Amino acid sequence: MKEEIDLWKARRLINHSPLILLTSRAKGRDNVMTLAWSTPLAHGSPVIGVAVSKNCFTHELISERGEFVINIPDKGLLETVKLCGSTSGRDTDKFSSFGLTKEQAQRVSVPLIKECFASIELRVINTVDCGDHTLFVGEALRCVAVKGAMDTTLDISRHPTLHHLGEDVFAVTRLL
Ligand SMILES: Cc1cc2nc3c(=O)[nH]c(=O)nc-3n(C[C@H](O)[C@H](O)[C@H](O)COP(=O)(O)O)c2cc1C
């Protein structure tokens, strides 16, 4: 027996991509935001989309510079993920306030986060207006990960990613 679900809740069926700490830089400021809505968009070329609310400071920074970095935290960073997702870079320096260390990127000007086990540097190649969010479509230019984390697939036994199910409910994945 199935039941009708409110459409606003439908996204929660597919909400739980690995949580990202997304970094951006413009206006002389570096910023970090938590982001759940990301997806690979092409198989042949490394294209990835992230949906960013138009209210976020991050939206202004990516729109201005056309670059961003996807940093992948593991479960040890849950509290940081919550903090970066509930404060704005407009009035908080999240790097210094939440103990995050900047690492220099090679292909973009946006900093990577040292405490994350992997990062992807991207350049915006397209945008899609989705109403209250913009889908920034990025071409991946460089990816780094802690040695051994990505020998074949992602080793989630060593690097359990975080997933948001909605409300204040978080999960980690496990291998079958
Ligand atoms: C678990 C979690 C997931 C989030 N996912 C997204 C997301 O996918 N897109 C988005 O625009 N905001 C998302 N947010 C909200 C932003 O992280 C939040 O608005 C943040 O304060 C924006 O920071 P900024 O103003 O410094 O850019 C999420 C927040 C949390 C806690």
Side-chain angles (χ1 to χ4, degrees):
M1 177 85 101
K2 293 180 181 168
E3 62 177 353
E4 296 289 326
I5 301 294
D6 285 343
L7 277 181
W8 73 265
K9 239 199 251 178
R11 60 181 160 76
R12 289 194 172 157
L13 290 169
I14 55 166
N15 201 71
H16 40 297
S17 305
L19 283 171
I20 286 169
L21 287 175
L22 188 149
T23 45
S24 53
R25 167 182 283 178
K27 306 177 191 293
R29 304 276 295 280
D30 294 330
N31 195 34
V32 191
M33 78 170 275
T34 299
L35 185 131
W37 296 355
S38 73
T39 181
L41 290 167
H43 201 44
S45 59
V47 176
I48 296 171
V50 291
V52 179
S53 164
K54 291 177 181 174
N55 294 326
C56 292
F57 188 47
T58 298
H59 194 282
E60 285 177 41
L61 301 188
I62 300 180
S63 299
E64 183 168 318
R65 185 62 74 96
E67 296 175 339
F68 61 97
V69 173
I70 288 174
N71 304 275
I72 314 293
D74 67 17
K75 71 174 184 182
L77 286 172
L78 176 59
E79 288 313 311
T80 310
V81 161
K82 289 182 182 178
L83 288 167
C84 290
S86 57
T87 50
S88 179
R90 282 192 188 91
D91 43 46
T92 307
D93 177 341
K94 299 191 213 181
F95 279 96
S96 60
S97 300
F98 306 143
L100 295 171
T101 314
K102 296 175 197 178
E103 267 185 354
Q104 195 169 342
Q106 286 189 12
R107 300 295 306 278
V108 295
S109 60
V110 178
L112 279 50
I113 298 176
K114 185 176 180 193
E115 288 76 12
C116 289
F117 71 87
S119 300
I120 311 170
E121 301 174 22
L122 301 108
R123 161 179 83 86
V124 175
I125 55 169
N126 211 337
T127 58
V128 181
D129 187 336
C130 301
D132 51 15
H133 282 56
T134 297
L135 177 69
F136 289 104
V137 178
E139 176 191 13
L141 302 174
R142 177 174 176 252
C143 178
V144 287
V146 165
K147 274 200 177 122
M150 288 285 294
D151 281 347
T152 46
T153 58
L154 171 60
D155 183 354
I156 58 166
S157 60
R158 286 171 58 195
H159 300 285
T161 49
L162 285 165
H163 305 263
H164 185 223
L165 299 179
E167 308 291 342
D168 196 28
V169 183
F170 294 83
V172 288
T173 42
R174 65 180 173 82
L175 288 176
L176 289 174

